[in-house]
Amino acid sequence: YIWASITGERYRDGPTLLKVLLLHINPSTKVQTLAFQSKIKSARITAHDGDVTKLLSFMESVRLSALHVGKTITDYELHLFEALLDVTVKNEEFRNFVQRKRDDWETGVDPMTYKAIIDAAKVKYNNLVSREFEDGTNAWTRSQAKGDKLMALTTQV
C-alpha cells in the first residue's frame, strides 16, 4: 500500500499491507472454529490417563486457545458433562455425582457456569483419589478396577 500524506508525499505502509495480506490468507474462520469444537467434543478421560484434572486442563486450554483468536465454543458446559460422563469411566460414585450436577444444570435448578462444573468435578475427583484404603488403592482406582473386572467377567460369559 502506498499512502499519500497531506503534503502529497508518498510512502509505503508495511503494517497495513501485512494486515491486508493476513486477512486474505487467513484460513476460514468456520474451519478454525470447527477444529476447536471437534477437539472439545472428542475429549475423553481415557485419552488423559483416566485423570479428570488432565482432561479438564486440556479442555480449558482448547477453550482459551479459541478465545485467543476470537472464537467461542458453543455448548461448552454440555461438552464438559459429556466428557466427564465418558462411558469408560467405571467409577459409579463419580458418574452419579456428575449426572446429578448435569440434571440440576439441565433443569435450571443449578445454572452452573463452566467454572463451577470444572471446580466441582476436580474436587470430587481429588477427594476420590485422596480416599486411600489399606490395600494401597484409592476410591478412584478401586472403583475403576472393579469396573474393569466386571467388564472382563461379562465378556467371558
Side-chain angles (χ1 to χ4, degrees):
Y1 275 86
I2 299 176
W3 297 90
S5 69
I6 297 175
T7 62
E9 180 184 346
R10 298 174 66 110
Y11 63 94
R12 294 181 191 270
D13 185 9
T16 301
L17 178 59
L18 181 61
K19 174 69 173 170
V20 170
L21 284 172
L22 289 174
L23 287 174
H24 288 292
I25 63 171
N26 192 21
S28 167
T29 56
K30 279 196 180 284
V31 171
Q32 195 175 38
T33 302
L34 289 173
F36 288 124
Q37 286 284 114
S38 177
K39 285 181 181 180
I40 291 291
K41 280 183 175 182
S42 63
R44 295 293 176 260
I45 292 174
T46 51
H48 300 277
D49 303 322
D51 188 325
V52 172
T53 55
K54 287 181 184 178
L55 166 74
L56 295 171
S57 294
F58 167 76
M59 292 181 77
E60 265 301 276
S61 71
V62 172
R63 186 188 70 79
L64 292 173
S65 295
L67 278 179
H68 183 70
V69 294
K71 310 295 175 223
T72 57
I73 304 296
T74 57
D75 302 322
Y76 185 56
E77 292 85 354
L78 180 61
H79 296 307
L80 282 168
F81 283 123
E82 287 175 354
L84 291 167
L85 290 168
D86 182 352
V87 294
T88 60
V89 174
K90 295 164 183 79
N91 189 300
E92 279 194 48
E93 184 177 345
F94 183 79
R95 288 181 60 77
N96 291 338
F97 172 80
V98 173
Q99 187 61 57
R100 282 192 308 275
K101 294 289 184 187
R102 181 179 179 164
D103 291 343
D104 289 348
W105 174 78
E106 285 179 348
T107 60
V109 170
D110 187 356
M112 299 178 79
T113 64
Y114 71 89
K115 288 181 183 178
I117 295 166
I118 290 171
D119 290 345
K122 282 182 179 178
V123 167
K124 185 63 175 179
Y125 172 75
N126 288 333
N127 286 345
L128 289 167
V129 170
S130 299
R131 195 179 328 145
E132 294 184 0
F133 299 104
E134 291 177 11
D135 64 359
T137 62
N138 60 50
W140 177 259
T141 56
R142 179 180 274 190
S143 185
Q144 290 288 90
K146 188 166 72 173
D148 290 342
K149 191 174 184 181
L150 182 62
M151 181 70 79
L153 289 172
T154 306
T155 305
Q156 243 179 4
V157 172

